Amino acid sequence: DLWGDFAKVSGRRVMQKKWGEYKEMLSGKSLLYFYTDRGGLHNIDINLSWPGSITRNISSNTSESPVNSYIAENITFNMKFDNIVLEPVTNEIVSGTLAEVYNPSVVVLNETASFKIEVSGVESEMVSWRSENEKVKFLNGSIESDIGIGKTVKVKGNSLGGDKLIVDIEGYDGRSPEISFDVLNWKNINVYTCIVKNELNKDSAFTDSGIEEAIDKGNEIFKQIGVKMIRVPYVNALANKEKYRILTDVGTMVELINIKRNTIDGVEIYFVAGQTFDDNMIAEAYYDKGIVITKYGSLKDVKEGDTLIRFSPYILAHEVLQCMRTDASTDECVADIYDYYWVGNKKESIPDNTDIAESHIPLDWGTGYYRAKTKLSDVVKRLLMYGYNIENRFDIPRGDVLGFDKYNVAKHVKCGGIVELKDRSFRNDY
């Protein structure tokens, strides 16, 4: 196998080799590799000149000229663009933030957002961004511009509406990477929080400061859809009972969330220490009633404090998003999505070899510049609405994503869908 570097000869990039190296190639079957640091269409002329005595056995795919001892071939090929990555569904956190993601579905009017592309083989200044509908401006410090330069850019929402960022890469003649989003106003939602206390009127495992910190981080996650939670502390005398601090059955949990009723301007969250009736439950959202969040999850076989803390701001954001209606006039809400489920002892899952494709994420495909070998299951695990409790699930997609719903049905699941949910209606109205 022969690798060679190109040099400029008469204005063209030519790979020159000594006769001894070619002679070594001809001693057996060899492969000639070409590498480019840019994708797109490339033309390569192969011109090999050598003594006529060795031109008797030549591949039929070449042009032969034994008289002039000359072999020529032109190859046109499309280089893979594995060196370009622009992923609309990503769980990468913007540097210097708690939980703000790159490449969001929404840019908030008069607020900033960050977008990122990976391009190997080119300098940062060779990458430029432009806004198709001019709904955003690019920021260089405090200076606003119509063009963004670099592999990461910051934009500011300039006017309401749908938009698309188009990336131009110097020397690249393939399809331009693109990413779509909407510029929307902030949507504030009230979050009525109740820390369930025991008979001695002492706090349960949760504290006010801990909840405030979780909401702050949850708001950074929600910035990608332009939603901001506003905490409204809520206290009810009926909640001051040990039976609600550690829940023993589903009936008691439903009784707890029925304490406050008909919340049409937000959601209700009840924070308790734990529960003893389900080995896996950490939190539960009843879209029409409210949300219960535990700190320790199951306390079935352990004492409070002897188990690991199971609560996280991602769980808070996940459960609140589950109360966002897919349509302001209906009861359908954003749903959990899974990449596998169990039927008895049999595991049903998305096949491991299922590469991500446009049909899986039609509104979050961009122009297809996902990282090489990315699988559908990889993308599902990046989603905030992924149904299993894992770290690093942040993304809220623009549209539906193919996976399993809570009924174990393979379908395109509404696990974000800001394109269809611009009203962003949250309510527990029963």
Side-chain angles (χ1 to χ4, degrees), residues 88-233:
V89 178
T90 178
N91 54 9
E92 187 173 357
I93 299 301
V94 177
S95 177
T97 70
L98 295 173
E100 181 181 339
V101 298
Y102 283 107
N103 305 340
S105 299
V106 167
V107 176
V108 179
L109 185 66
N110 296 321
E111 299 283 354
T112 63
S114 297
F115 291 82
K116 180 177 182 179
I117 189 172
E118 296 179 25
V119 188
S120 60
V122 301
E123 299 299 326
S124 186
E125 58 268 21
M126 298 171 69
V127 180
S128 62
W129 305 64
R130 50 194 167 93
S131 166
E132 182 177 68
N133 297 328
E134 300 182 346
K135 301 296 183 182
V136 297
K137 293 290 187 180
F138 295 90
L139 295 180
N140 181 14
S142 60
I143 300 175
E144 297 184 1
S145 172
D146 292 331
I147 298 294
I149 302 295
K151 298 177 183 179
T152 61
V153 292
K154 182 174 287 188
V155 302
K156 181 179 180 182
N158 190 48
S159 60
L160 299 174
D163 204 351
K164 179 189 297 181
L165 295 187
I166 303 170
V167 186
D168 298 310
I169 303 167
E170 187 176 328
Y172 177 59
D173 55 3
R175 185 178 183 185
S176 296
E178 299 175 357
I179 186 166
S180 297
F181 58 92
D182 287 277
V183 178
L184 301 176
N185 286 310
W186 277 116
K187 177 64 179 287
N188 293 336
I189 60 168
N190 290 326
V191 176
Y192 295 87
T193 61
C194 177
I195 300 176
V196 180
K197 301 179 180 181
N198 61 15
E199 297 289 357
L200 299 176
N201 207 34
K202 292 183 179 180
D203 282 349
S204 74
F206 286 93
T207 63
D208 283 300
S209 60
I211 291 174
E212 293 285 356
E213 291 175 5
I215 287 178
D216 286 344
K217 194 165 187 178
N219 279 336
E220 288 214 354
I221 297 173
F222 279 160
K223 186 181 179 183
Q224 63 186 294
I225 58 170
V227 166
K228 184 180 293 184
M229 295 180 285
I230 306 297
R231 186 189 179 202
V232 183

Side-chain angles (χ1 to χ4, degrees), residues 268-334:
E268 307 165 20
I269 306 179
Y270 299 86
F271 293 91
V272 303
Q275 49 81 20
T276 60
F277 59 87
D278 188 310
D279 291 337
N280 299 309
M281 193 203 90
I282 303 171
E284 189 71 40
Y286 291 79
Y287 75 90
D288 57 344
K289 296 181 175 68
I291 301 167
V292 171
I293 294 179
T294 74
K295 187 167 187 176
Y296 299 109
S298 175
L299 295 172
K300 187 174 181 180
D301 299 314
V302 295
K303 294 180 180 179
E304 181 182 350
D306 290 343
T307 188
L308 296 175
I309 295 174
R310 306 294 302 280
F311 170 74
S312 72
Y314 319 113
I315 290 176
L316 171 68
H318 174 100
E319 300 300 331
V320 171
L321 186 60
Q322 205 162 21
C323 294
M324 184 170 80
R325 307 302 173 96
T326 58
D327 187 303
S329 62
T330 71
D331 289 337
E332 185 183 15
C333 289
V334 170

Side-chain angles (χ1 to χ4, degrees), residues 2-33:
L2 180 66
W3 286 84
D5 295 324
F6 287 88
K8 279 223 171 174
V9 176
S10 300
R12 302 187 66 192
R13 298 180 72 198
V14 178
M15 184 177 71
Q16 296 177 312
K17 286 292 174 187
K18 296 179 180 178
W19 165 243
E21 293 175 317
Y22 283 124
K23 185 178 180 181
E24 185 177 345
M25 282 180 61
L26 294 171
S27 64
K29 290 185 177 180
S30 298
L31 298 175
L32 183 61
Y33 289 96

